[in-house]
Structure formats: C-alpha cells, structure tokens
Amino acid sequence: MTAKITRAERLSIAGAAAAHLALLAGLSLAWQHSTPMLAAPTDAVPVEIVDISDAPRTPEPPAPSMEAAPQDTAAAAPVAEAAPDPEPVQ
C-alpha cells in the first residue's frame, strides 16, 4: 500500500523546511548580538609578593584538656550469662 504525496503536501513540507532554515539563520546571526561585550577592567589590583617560608603551614593543635576527654558516666553494661547447653533428645 503506497501513499502518494499530493502537491499541497509537498509545498507544505518545503515551506516548513524553508521556514526552519530561515529561523535557524536568523537566530545564528542574532546570537552574537544577544549579549553585550563586557568592558575590560580598568582598575588594576595591586599585588604584593611576600616570602612566607618561615611561617608554619598549619597552626599548632590545642593542648589536650580534661574537659575534652570522654567522660565515663554510664556504668559498665552487665555481661550476659552464657545459655546452658540443651540436653540431647532421646
């Protein structure tokens, strides 16, 4: 079963393709003008290079204290007794 395309359908497909191509061309040309170019920065930021080789890389850790130590507030958990061995069934 072959469906024949009528002349109106061919013209519609060709018109849609031409419209898509025109839209693509218009968007491509407008793309470069869609956002304004950013101006170059005029104020230079002064930078001073210093030698910090004598400075420590990380700070010293704080000295241990009794307040930071874990507190044993709960009593030791009772130890569960082992279950007796079951008697064999005869």
Side-chain angles (χ1 to χ4, degrees), residues 8 10 16 18 22-23 29 41 47 60 63 73-74 83 90:
R10 267 188 268 134
L23 178 65
L29 293 175
V47 176
E60 292 290 326
T73 57
Q90 296 179 355

Side-chain angles (χ1 to χ4, degrees), residues 4-90:
K4 293 206 171 209
I5 296 177
T6 64
R7 182 172 188 260
E9 290 173 336
R10 267 188 268 134
L11 287 176
S12 297
I13 292 172
H20 276 88
L21 289 175
L23 178 65
L24 181 64
L27 290 175
S28 296
L29 293 175
W31 180 276
Q32 51 189 304
H33 301 295
S34 64
T35 57
M37 296 296 290
L38 297 176
T42 56
D43 297 338
V45 178
V47 176
E48 182 178 336
I49 299 175
V50 295
D51 184 20
I52 57 168
S53 62
D54 293 337
R57 293 269 182 214
T58 57
E60 292 290 326
S65 65
M66 290 304 293
E67 292 83 24
Q71 303 295 322
D72 188 25
T73 57
V79 178
E81 294 180 17
D85 292 333
E87 294 180 18
V89 180
Q90 296 179 355

